[in-house]
Structure formats: C-alpha cells, structure tokens
C-alpha cells in the first residue's frame, strides 16, 4: 500500500518539473555540450594550453630550483688531500684534491663560485679563507682539484683555524657559497647555495711522537746545539704543511731546559722522520733524570711549546700560534741517551 503511495508522489513531481521546462530547448544534455564545444573549442584549447604552460613554468621556476637545491644539498664533498705551500705571513698556496659525488640523476652545469671556509663548531662562523671553486657538472663522480694563491684576509680567524687544526683530533670545516645551476636543456640559470661541512682529522698535537737516536754533544760550544736526535712525528691529517724552521721551548715539569729546532719542517700525511737539534741545559736534564720521579725508567715526559716559526726569515704567525697554543708532551728516554752518549748509567739516588 505505502509503495504505491510513494510512486504516485514521484509521478506527480516528474510531471510538475516537466511542465516547467521551456518546450523549444533540446532536452539532450550531450547534444547541448557538443554544440557549445563546436563554437568555443578554441577557448578550451587556450585554457588547456595556459594550464600546460603554467605547469611547465611552475616546474621550471619553482620545481627545478628546488630540485637543483636538493641535488646540491645531497651531493657529497670529500677531500683527498690539502697542501699548504709557499707559506708567507700574508698568503699561502692552497691546493685541494677533492671529489663531489651526486646520484647523477640530473645533468646540470654548476658555475664556479667564491666560497668561504669557517669552523663549524665556532659559533661566530667567521670565514678564515675565501676559496674560488671551479665550475662543475652534475656527473656522478667529479674530481675537483684546486690550486690557488690566497691572501689571508682575516689573520685572527686563520690563526685560530690553525690552533684548532693542530690541537683537535677532528674538526668540522664548512664550505659555503652562492652559485648558479643550469640544468641541461634549459636556458635559465637558478641560484643555489652550496654548503658542505667536512669532518677532517686534525694533527691531534702530534700525539705519538717519538724521539730516537738521541746524542749529547759534550764538545759543543756555548750557544751551539749540544743535543741531536731523530723525531718521528705522526700526521694523522691529509694536510701537507710547509712550516719551515720550527723552534720549541722544552720543559721538564715546570722548568724550561732549553729549546729544540726542527729545520725545514715540511709536514706530510703519515710518518715524518726528521732531524732535531737542541740547546739543552745538560745539568738540569741530568738532575731531572736522577730525581726520584724519573730515575727508575730514565724516561722523562718533555713538554714542547712552539716558540718560533721562521720561513725564509719571516715569522709565520698562524703556525706559531698553532704550535704555541698548547704543550705537546713527548716521552724521551734520557737514561738511554746518556748511556749511549756518555757511557754512564743513571741510577736512582741511594735512598735514605
Ligand atoms: C693531488 O693529486 C696529484 C696527483 O695525484 C698530486 O700530485 C698532488 O700532490 C695532490 N694534491 C693534493 C693537494 O693532495
Ligand atoms: C686531482 O687529484 C687526484 C687525486 O685526488 C688525482 O688523481 C688527479 O690526477 C688530479 N687531477 C689533476 C688534473 O690534477
Ligand atoms: C671573502 O669573504 C668575505 C665574507 O663573505 C667577503 O666579505 C669578501 O668580499 C670575500 N672576499 C673575496 C675576495 O671574495
Ligand atoms: C678544538 O680545539 C680548540 C682549541 O684548543 C678548542 O677550543 C675547541 O673546543 C676544540 N673543538 C672541538 C670540536 O674539539
Ligand atoms: C694519544 O695516543 C695514545 C695512544 O698512542 C692514547 O692513549 C691517548 O689517548 C692519545 N691522547 C690524545 C689526547 O688523543
Ligand atoms: C759537537 O759540537 C761541535 C762544536 O759545535 C761540532 O764541531 C761537532 O760537529 C758536534 N758533534 C756532533 C756529533 O754533532
Ligand atoms: C733557543 O736557544 C738558543 C740558545 O740558548 C737561543 O739563542 C735562542 O734564542 C732560543 N730560541 C728561541 C726561539 O727561544
Ligand atoms: C706549557 O708548559 C709549561 C711548563 O709547565 C707552562 O709554563 C706553559 O704555560 C705551558 N704552555 C701552555 C700553552 O699551556
Ligand atoms: C748546551 O746548551 C745549553 C743551551 O744553549 C747551554 O745552557 C749549556 O751550557 C750547553 N752545554 C751543556 C753541557 O749543557
Ligand atoms: C732554516 O734555517 C736555516 C739556517 O738558518 C736556513 O738556511 C734555512 O733557509 C731556513 N729554512 C727556511 C724554510 O726558512
Ligand atoms: C692519514 C694518515 O696518513 N695518517 C697517518 C698519520 O700518522 C700516523 C703515524 O705515522 C699513521 O699511523 C697514520 O696512518
């Protein structure tokens, strides 16, 4: 009963709506749209084309720069070697062998640019060097070797970098600059920021240095070196440094016992076997090695603090700061040196 009632109502509504339609307009909606399309197809094409152009524009001017920046961010910078040569008070010859690795998914040319280097873990991020980086492409593996004379523009920052480099086991250096990327196939260049932080090994204060072949020269005249030896200095970093004539003040405990010089020090990665000559107060050394503290082993931890760095007669303050900011402790087997040089065995004083 209720079914019949509902269908009757529906019939009424349909009849009513049909009654309101103007008789002249065709009732087929498809036909209506086809007619409309026939007249206004060009407008639809225009809208469509604008949409395509807009999409392409958005991709190029918003998407591509973002992709380019992401690709630059994802690229890996690795350093194989750094040479610091032709060291002068105000300039250095900086050579870097490095590789930039990308996923190679987009071909793009990256302009050369001026980048700054700063210590990532020093909050003020003051650049210690400005370096020109060459143009590169987006190849998977890219060798980037640079060699350039650089003026030291900020001495404090450069000196401080050298202090960190000499002292720390590792340090983080950031390279940062603005450059432009031109994806191949596009004529437009997009600005990107190149920013990479590299964790590098420092000199760790030459931890592990050994001194062998020590010889005391008793016939040495006053002011002439009266001690010579061979030092083996480990360089844990990948830096080669043209340091020059480096002189260190030597301490036993808190007492200065003279100084030692490493002539023409060119520090290379790995082991550095160098000759050293020293002016040591032999009496003070003899007293120390006979003291209760050191007589059992004859080994004295000698502290070294950089006192002068001369290269071609000029002081290199950045290396002097690096070697002078901290003491380096080197165990020296003075007992054996005295035995081999003088034929005397040092024993402990007869205890009372
Ligand atoms: C870079 O590599 C070349 C060739 O192997 C080498 O002669 C040069 O010393 C290296 N430079 C640095 C800074 O490592
Ligand atoms: C760049 O340095 C690498 C070593 O890292 C070396 O093999 C290559 O020959 C160097 N290229 C040039 C052009 O110096
Ligand atoms: C080096 O970098 C500093 C700081 O960004 C900048 O003010 C200076 O102009 C740069 N110098 C050169 C030669 O690019
Ligand atoms: C590196 O050495 C400097 C100077 O001695 C020190 O002040 C700094 O805290 C060290 N930084 C790191 C990250 O070890
Ligand atoms: C120095 O090296 C020795 C091992 O040769 C190590 O035990 C010590 O911790 C190192 N000291 C520093 C400050 O790295
Ligand atoms: C010791 O010192 C004297 C005087 O300075 C010098 O002539 C001599 O060559 C030195 N001997 C050694 C082994 O260095
Ligand atoms: C090293 O010692 C010698 C001899 O005592 C002295 O003439 C010289 O000035 C000292 N050098 C430094 C840098 O202290
Ligand atoms: C090095 O050790 C000596 C002797 O203990 C001390 O007088 C000097 O201040 C120390 N130097 C540094 C930079 O700590
Ligand atoms: C060795 O050199 C030091 C420093 O120049 C000097 O004080 C000393 O008299 C010299 N000779 C001896 C035997 O110590
Ligand atoms: C180191 O000193 C010696 C002797 O004074 C000098 O002949 C030499 O040129 C100096 N080396 C450097 C790199 O300045
Ligand atoms: C990178 C490098 O060559 N490190 C070396 C530094 O010096 C020590 C001691 O000679 C070597 O053990 C490291 O391999």
């Amino acid at each position: 009963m209720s079914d019949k009632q509902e269908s009757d109502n529906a019939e009424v509504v349909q009849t009513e709506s049909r009654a309101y339609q103007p008789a002249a307009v065709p009732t087929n909606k498809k036909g209506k749209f086809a007619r409309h399309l026939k007249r206004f197809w060009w407008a639809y094409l225009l809208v469509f084309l604008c949409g395509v152009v807009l999409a392409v524009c958005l991709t190029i001017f918003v998407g591509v720069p973002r992709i380019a920046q992401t690709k630059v961010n994802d690229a890996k910078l690795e350093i194989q070697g750094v040479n610091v040569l032709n060291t002068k008070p105000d300039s250095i010859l900086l050579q870097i062998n490095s590789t930039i690795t990308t996923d190679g998914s987009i071909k793009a040319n990256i302009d050369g640019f001026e980048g700054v280097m700063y210590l990532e873990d020093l909050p003020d991020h003051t650049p210690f060097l400005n370096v020109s980086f060459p143009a590169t492409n987006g190849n998977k593996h890219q060798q980037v070797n640079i060699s350039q004379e650089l003026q030291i523009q900020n001495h404090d920052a450069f000196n401080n970098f050298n202090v960190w480099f000499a002292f720390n086991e590792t340090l983080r250096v950031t390279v940062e600059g603005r450059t432009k990327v031109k994806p191949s196939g596009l004529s437009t260049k997009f600005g990107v920021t190149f920013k990479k932080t590299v964790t590098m090994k420092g000199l760790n204060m030459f931890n592990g240095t050994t001194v062998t072949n020590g010889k005391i020269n008793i016939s040495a005249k006053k002011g002439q070196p009266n001690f010579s030896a061979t030092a083996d200095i480990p360089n844990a970093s990948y830096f080669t440094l043209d340091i020059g004539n480096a002189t260190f003040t030597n301490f036993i405990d808190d007492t200065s016992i003279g100084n030692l010089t490493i002539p023409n020090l060119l520090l290379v990665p790995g082991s550095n076997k160098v000759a050293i000559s020293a002016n040591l107060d032999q009496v003070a050394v003899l007293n120390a090695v006979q003291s209760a503290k050191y007589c059992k082993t004859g080994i004295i931890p000698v502290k070294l603090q950089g006192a002068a760095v001369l290269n071609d007669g000029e002081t290199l303050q950045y290396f002097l700061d690096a070697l002078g900011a901290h003491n380096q402790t080197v165990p020296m087997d003075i007992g054996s040196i005295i035995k081999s040089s003088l034929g005397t065995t040092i024993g402990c004083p007869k205890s009372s």
Side-chain angles (χ1 to χ4, degrees):
M1 276 301 246
S2 68
D3 265 14
K4 179 88 179 89
Q5 185 80 35
E6 264 186 65
S7 96
D8 278 351
N9 285 348
E11 192 77 11
V12 171
V13 173
Q14 258 190 21
T15 317
E16 271 174 4
S17 74
R18 211 178 281 144
Y20 281 102
Q21 272 173 6
V25 176
T27 49
N28 191 332
K29 272 189 178 166
K30 258 188 192 161
K32 210 174 96 185
F33 184 62
R35 270 167 47 102
H36 176 77
L37 212 55
K38 254 185 180 164
R39 283 182 64 191
F40 297 107
W41 62 270
W42 51 271
Y44 282 96
L45 187 62
L46 218 60
V47 168
F48 174 72
L49 287 180
C50 284
V52 169
V53 169
L54 188 68
V56 169
C57 287
L58 280 176
T59 310
I60 292 175
F61 293 105
V62 181
V64 173
R66 272 231 303 274
I67 293 167
Q69 183 65 66
T70 305
K71 292 292 169 191
V72 169
N73 291 350
D74 289 348
K76 268 204 187 68
L77 173 69
E78 277 172 304
I79 297 174
Q80 284 78 47
V82 177
N83 295 343
V84 181
L85 306 174
N86 287 2
T87 43
K88 307 250 160 58
D90 296 315
S91 69
I92 57 168
L93 171 65
L94 180 70
Q95 301 181 321
I96 301 176
N97 284 357
S98 65
T99 49
I100 292 180
T101 315
T102 67
D103 62 8
S105 68
I106 56 165
K107 290 267 160 289
N109 293 319
I110 302 166
D111 283 0
F113 65 96
E114 278 282 318
V116 297
M117 287 186 181
Y118 56 80
L119 287 168
E120 178 64 26
D121 295 312
L122 193 63
D124 62 7
H125 286 181
T126 307
F128 60 81
L129 280 181
N130 286 14
V131 181
S132 294
F133 288 88
T136 53
N137 56 46
N139 285 355
K140 254 188 163 176
H141 284 287
Q142 188 129 225
Q143 193 75 53
V144 180
N145 296 0
I146 66 172
S147 176
Q148 50 196 266
E149 289 281 349
L150 295 179
Q151 291 299 313
I152 299 158
Q153 293 174 352
N154 185 334
H155 283 274
D156 287 345
F158 190 62
N159 296 350
N160 199 43
F161 161 73
N162 278 279
V163 170
W164 281 47
F165 183 72
F167 182 69
N168 297 21
E169 199 171 348
T170 62
L171 63 163
R172 297 197 300 158
V173 172
T174 299
V175 177
E176 188 173 356
R178 293 279 307 160
T179 183
K180 288 202 161 81
V181 171
K182 188 179 150 311
S184 58
L186 295 177
S187 57
T188 320
K189 286 183 175 182
F190 304 103
V192 289
T193 299
F194 183 94
K195 186 178 176 203
K196 299 285 161 209
T197 299
V198 178
T199 301
M200 54 177 68
K201 282 190 169 165
L203 297 174
N204 195 20
M205 224 44 218
F206 307 109
N207 190 20
T209 294
T210 58
V211 173
T212 53
N213 268 327
K215 285 188 189 69
I216 294 165
N217 186 349
I218 41 167
S219 51
K221 294 183 188 78
K222 211 167 168 64
Q224 292 295 309
N226 53 25
F227 178 84
S228 66
T230 305
D232 192 344
I233 305 171
N235 169 7
S237 80
Y238 43 58
F239 277 55
T240 297
L241 304 170
D242 180 359
I243 295 177
N245 288 335
T247 302
F248 299 82
T249 303
N250 300 4
F251 300 93
I252 293 178
D253 298 322
D254 287 336
T255 310
S256 166
I257 55 156
N259 63 37
L260 72 77
T261 297
I262 306 174
N264 303 315
L265 177 56
L266 177 73
L267 200 71
V268 299
S271 158
N272 291 262
K273 280 202 170 66
V274 296
I276 62 175
S277 63
N279 298 287
L280 299 183
D281 181 344
Q282 321 264 16
V283 176
V285 174
L286 255 153
N287 285 340
V289 80
Q290 286 175 311
S291 71
K293 207 169 167 184
Y294 303 116
C295 66
K296 284 200 193 76
T297 59
I299 298 169
I300 300 180
V302 176
K303 283 191 264 183
L304 307 181
Q305 180 178 6
V309 175
L310 285 170
N311 201 315
D312 280 339
E314 295 185 292
T315 291
L316 300 180
Q317 193 62 44
Y318 42 95
F319 286 146
L320 179 53
D321 280 8
L323 301 176
H326 298 93
N327 278 309
Q328 172 203 359
T329 303
V330 178
M332 287 197 198
D333 190 351
I334 303 289
S336 299
I337 291 168
I338 288 172
K339 195 177 170 199
S340 65
S341 300
L342 311 175
T344 322
T345 304
I346 299 297
C348 285
K350 300 247 151 54
S351 58
S352 47

